[in-house]
Amino acid sequence: MFSREVCSLFLVTLLLLTVTGTKEEEGSCSADRAKAEESDGSCSADGAGKDGKSCGCGSNALNRDAKLDKKTTKSAAKNEDDSDAVVESEEPEDSRKGMVEIPAGKFRMGTDEPQFPADGEGPSRPVVLDGFLMDTMEVSNAQFKDFVDATDYITEAESFGNSFVFFGMMTEAQMEVVNESVAAAPWWYKTPNAYWREPEGIDSNLDDRWDHPVTHVSWNDAVAYCKWRGKRLPTEAEWEYACRGGLENHLFPWGNKLTGKGGVHKTNIWQGEFPTNNTGEDGWMWTAPVDMFEANKYGLKQMTGNVWEWTADYWNTHHKQDLKKNPKGPKKGTDKVKKGGSFLCHKSYCYRYRCEARSQNGVDSAASNLGFRCVADLNKN
């Protein structure tokens, strides 16, 4: 399961041809990003073509209305922003367990040296935030199970009857039941019966992944879980401030170099050639346990890499440079902001495992590299 050998030679060849064709059709991606320490951060594509479309891992194309390479079958309808359907919060006694206090402060959000200008990474702008509490780790499968067991909650992936799965995670038998992939990112398969408990669809389980981040959860699902815990999703400003851990003008939660002394890995991302060869040099092919790798100075683990994390904000790429206090993003929109990148990110193709990097998905989207963590207000009893 953790090898490209599960894919036939024909499939790999087809993917490579499709990826090449997509790049040529959409226009080459520029390489104008500022270089990080040594050669980290230099790559052949900046993630956005001339038409503004993503050249990254394609996870921002995984919306329910995404164009597929075959006729889409009808699926169960869901009301937008259906997060209020879950039972009210029971305020579990340990609702603040596993959280740390993020101190109030002022920081520079965004950057004046954007790697992906089309993503709205810039400009750098001053933001003041009140203090808050944040989960030290991403919500795990075991924690999400507690929520489901207590509320009988049904995720949107279950309601739709499918979710998006990265092809390399699947066995040949699992691939056989798939007949649709995302046209703009053919390595993403619209997989029947894939959801948080069976992340690759049929014959998959969480036997050795209960401590891994829950995936295949939509924004609505994440809001419902946080609400049940007496918490909420972080704003984009809160998330980025926490990610930086008190550091200014640094790429990652720990500094500017991707690895530590002796080449020690500090996050779970893709090594090798995307999308056909992941060498797993960081110790993990796909998701890693939520408590892996060193925490930043605020005590937060895996703020970048592993899985993308939902935020509360609607997506917007135009930002004013005046001082903002506790900004909450646009009042209206369609997509929501996600932060942090994932195990599928690679510096040559999706250099978004940086604190200021950002992407977006629809509120009912779900995939095998998308999760979340919660925050809480300090003044909440």
Side-chain angles (χ1 to χ4, degrees), residues 9 20 51 58 75 97 103 108 126 135 147 150 182 204 216 220 226 277 292 306 336 340 344:
L9 179 60
T20 302
D51 59 1
S75 56
K97 184 179 180 180
R108 303 290 301 185
D135 290 344
F147 163 59
V182 179
S204 63
H216 299 292
N220 291 323
C226 290
N277 180 34
M292 290 297 295
N306 214 27
K336 291 288 186 174
L344 293 178

Side-chain angles (χ1 to χ4, degrees), residues 49-121:
K50 293 179 180 179
D51 59 1
K53 295 182 179 180
S54 172
C55 295
C57 72
S59 61
N60 62 340
L62 305 184
N63 292 329
R64 288 293 171 184
D65 58 355
K67 182 179 179 181
L68 303 174
D69 63 358
K70 289 187 179 181
K71 185 177 181 180
T72 306
T73 58
K74 293 183 179 179
S75 56
K78 289 286 288 187
N79 293 327
E80 184 175 336
D81 207 351
D82 193 27
S83 58
D84 289 335
V86 70
V87 297
E88 291 295 324
S89 167
E90 297 180 0
E91 290 290 337
E93 293 182 0
D94 63 345
S95 63
R96 299 299 184 265
K97 184 179 180 180
M99 304 188 84
V100 293
E101 181 175 340
I102 309 300
K106 181 179 179 180
F107 80 112
R108 303 290 301 185
M109 185 175 178
T111 177
D112 287 329
E113 297 179 343
Q115 308 300 310
F116 306 133
D119 283 357
E121 291 183 2

